[in-house]
Each structure stands twice: as C-alpha cells, then as structure tokens.
Amino acid sequence: MKSVTLNTLRDYKTRGEAFSCLTAYDATLARCADNAGIDLLLVGDSLGMVLQGHKSTLPVTLDHIRYHTACVARGKQRSLLMVDLPFMSNADSGQLLRDAGELMRAGAELIKIEGQAWMADGIRELDRRGVPVCAHLGLAPQTVHRLGGFKVQGKAEDEAQRIVDDACRLVDAGAAVILLECVPRAVGRAVSKAVEVPVIGIGAGPDVDGQILVMHDALGLDSGYVPRFVKNFLSGNDSIEAAFRAYDAAVKARRFPGEEHCF
Ligand code: KIV
C-alpha cells in the first residue's frame, strides 16, 4: 500500500481528480478512515469543539494538539497527516518554528496555519526548514471574535479578490496546500484555478481539488448546529467504515458537495 504524500495530492490535481480528507483525533477512527481510503487526515483544532465541548477553537493548546497527533499517527498507515497550529502559535517567528517542530516530531507530515497574506514570512521560514505548510483562508475559526461569528467569507467582490490574491501570495511564499473554508463556490473555483498547488475546500463548493469534513459532522453526530455544507454519511450505511467509504466515493465521483451544500 503506497502512502499518500504531497506528490499524490499534486497528481490528483494534475489529473483533475478530487481527493478526500477528514478530521481525526484518535487512533481507532484514524485507522478506520485510513482503511476506507481517505487520503488526508487532519488533527484539527476543531477538537476543542467536538471533543472538549468548547464554543470555539481558542482554548486548544499545543499540548492538546500534540497528544491527538501522536494518537492519530499511531492509527493511520496510508493517509497523509495534516495538523493544525493552535491559536497564537504564530504570535512570533520563534514560537511558530518551535511549535511546528514539536508537531512534526509528534507525527505531523503537513502543518496547517490560519490567517491571511501576513503569514507569508512564517510560511517561508517553515518551508526553508523543510516543513510543508497548508494555508487556511476564508473563514478562519481562530478569528471568530473579530469576524463576529462563523460567517461565510468572500461574498463581496473585493473580499473575494483578496482571498484569491492572498492564496497566490502564500503559494509564492512556499505554501504547499491551500485550505478554503466557507466561501462562495465561485471563490473556491477562482482560487483553485489561480494556484498550482492542491486546494482543499470545506463549504467552498465542488470546484476545488479536495474536500474535507469534520469527522463528527460526516457521521451525523448532533453538535446543536448543522452547517449548510455538512452531509451525514452514516445515514443509509451500517458502520462507521462504510460511512467513510461512502464519503470517499462521493468526493471522488464529485457527487459531494452538491448544489445544496454550496454558498
Ligand atoms: O480544525 C478543523 O477541523 C479545521 C477544518 C474545519 C478544516 O480546520
């Protein structure tokens, strides 16, 4: 069984084929998602909401992320392991490098950072040291209080253009992957066309290169609020692994997300 690497994701993009991603936080469900053919697993700081019960991702610490990274790294075999840098890990360049280093030692293979074009220097520094980076644009949940809630980004023309420009700038700085959260379908399509690197979407429409969902959402676990871009893949399937296989197949056949999941 061949491991998924950044080259695998780039090859998917070159062939115009979509790839599948899910969040994962523990060894058993990571193994299950890996067995189902999911290409990339994310230890997301969403763990603060779905595991710890917080209202945002802000309380999540480096120690929390490191612990779950080590768990997932022990469970997965084939999937590429992406890991979130928690809130304020990018406070300065020294902390950014130290925290990213800790997560790579724990098993991360790709580090995800939220922000905008101002992350360019940090991404350049990490890339120079051999740490591949995914830049998370659009709705950045760590800035929820500045945004005034978990809201769709890039609805106005100038905001949409800024997201496309930021993606290009960060790829120039060395970002190996872009992740777009909660943007109109047209913005997802524009970013994916503008950059050569793979673009992963969540609530960004079907015209990006890969799709990601929070695992609990893909399993229909009730968190009190179901965003528009979520689909329950356990419904109609008789096991968690079957649900993950159904999600993988729907993404790869470009049946998910449908129009009803788009902004
Ligand atoms: O933390 C997370 O789970 C994420 C996804 C929503 C992409 O960043």
Side-chain angles (χ1 to χ4, degrees):
M1 187 188 6
K2 226 172 147 205
S3 295
V4 176
T5 65
L6 278 174
N7 288 337
T8 318
L9 304 188
R10 291 184 192 117
D11 289 346
Y12 271 116
K13 176 158 184 148
T14 306
R15 293 195 304 267
E17 290 173 18
F19 56 88
S20 60
C21 320
L22 276 176
T23 66
Y25 315 101
D26 69 79
T28 303
L29 289 170
R31 186 175 307 115
C32 196
D34 189 299
N35 284 342
I38 303 298
D39 296 297
L40 178 147
L41 298 176
L42 166 67
V43 178
D45 60 359
S46 53
L47 71 86
M49 298 171 81
V50 295
L51 299 190
Q52 298 174 335
H54 293 295
K55 286 195 164 31
S56 79
T57 59
L58 273 59
V60 176
T61 65
L62 186 73
D63 279 346
H64 297 150
I65 299 268
R66 185 175 25 212
Y67 172 80
H68 289 283
T69 298
C71 296
V72 170
R74 286 191 285 268
K76 69 105 194 170
Q77 274 193 298
R78 170 188 167 271
S79 316
L80 184 67
L81 179 49
M82 175 157 86
V83 175
D84 256 344
L85 268 184
F87 180 57
M88 282 297 164
S89 265
N90 51 15
D92 62 57
S93 130
Q95 178 151 13
L96 177 73
L97 297 179
R98 270 192 307 279
D99 288 3
E102 288 292 318
L103 296 180
M104 294 298 282
R105 276 193 199 96
E109 294 164 330
L110 174 63
I111 296 288
K112 178 161 81 63
I113 312 180
E114 290 184 17
Q116 298 176 344
W118 58 267
M119 297 186 297
D121 288 342
I123 289 176
R124 200 172 287 112
E125 292 284 300
L126 287 168
D127 182 52
R128 219 178 257 157
R129 287 163 177 82
V131 176
V133 177
C134 170
H136 181 151
L137 300 173
L139 171 59
Q142 290 172 9
T143 62
V144 61
H145 297 305
R146 197 186 56 199
L147 297 175
F150 295 101
K151 295 185 174 155
V152 180
Q153 302 296 301
K155 287 206 276 191
E157 215 172 291
D158 58 333
E159 258 183 52
Q161 190 56 51
R162 188 186 45 74
I163 294 172
V164 177
D165 293 345
D166 283 3
C168 293
R169 176 116 183 257
L170 296 177
V171 169
D172 283 347
V177 177
I178 299 288
L179 185 142
L180 280 181
E181 178 165 353
C182 284
V183 294
R185 176 176 181 168
V187 176
R189 187 189 307 124
V191 171
S192 186
K193 269 193 169 172
V195 298
E196 283 189 354
V197 305
V199 177
I200 302 171
I202 175 163
D207 311 310
V208 290
D209 309 304
Q211 298 291 335
I212 187 161
L213 282 179
V214 169
M215 180 179 278
H216 293 55
D217 289 341
L219 294 174
L221 291 167
D222 186 8
S223 58
Y225 165 70
V226 182
R228 181 185 173 94
F229 54 80
V230 163
K231 179 169 174 182
N232 174 359
F233 285 90
L234 190 55
S235 167
N237 285 297
D238 61 3
S239 71
I240 289 177
E241 190 169 317
F244 292 162
R245 284 189 192 281
Y247 166 67
D248 179 65
V251 167
K252 288 178 176 161
R254 295 208 187 261
R255 279 185 276 108
F256 176 80
E259 205 49 58
E260 68 277 23
H261 304 112
C262 295
F263 297 111

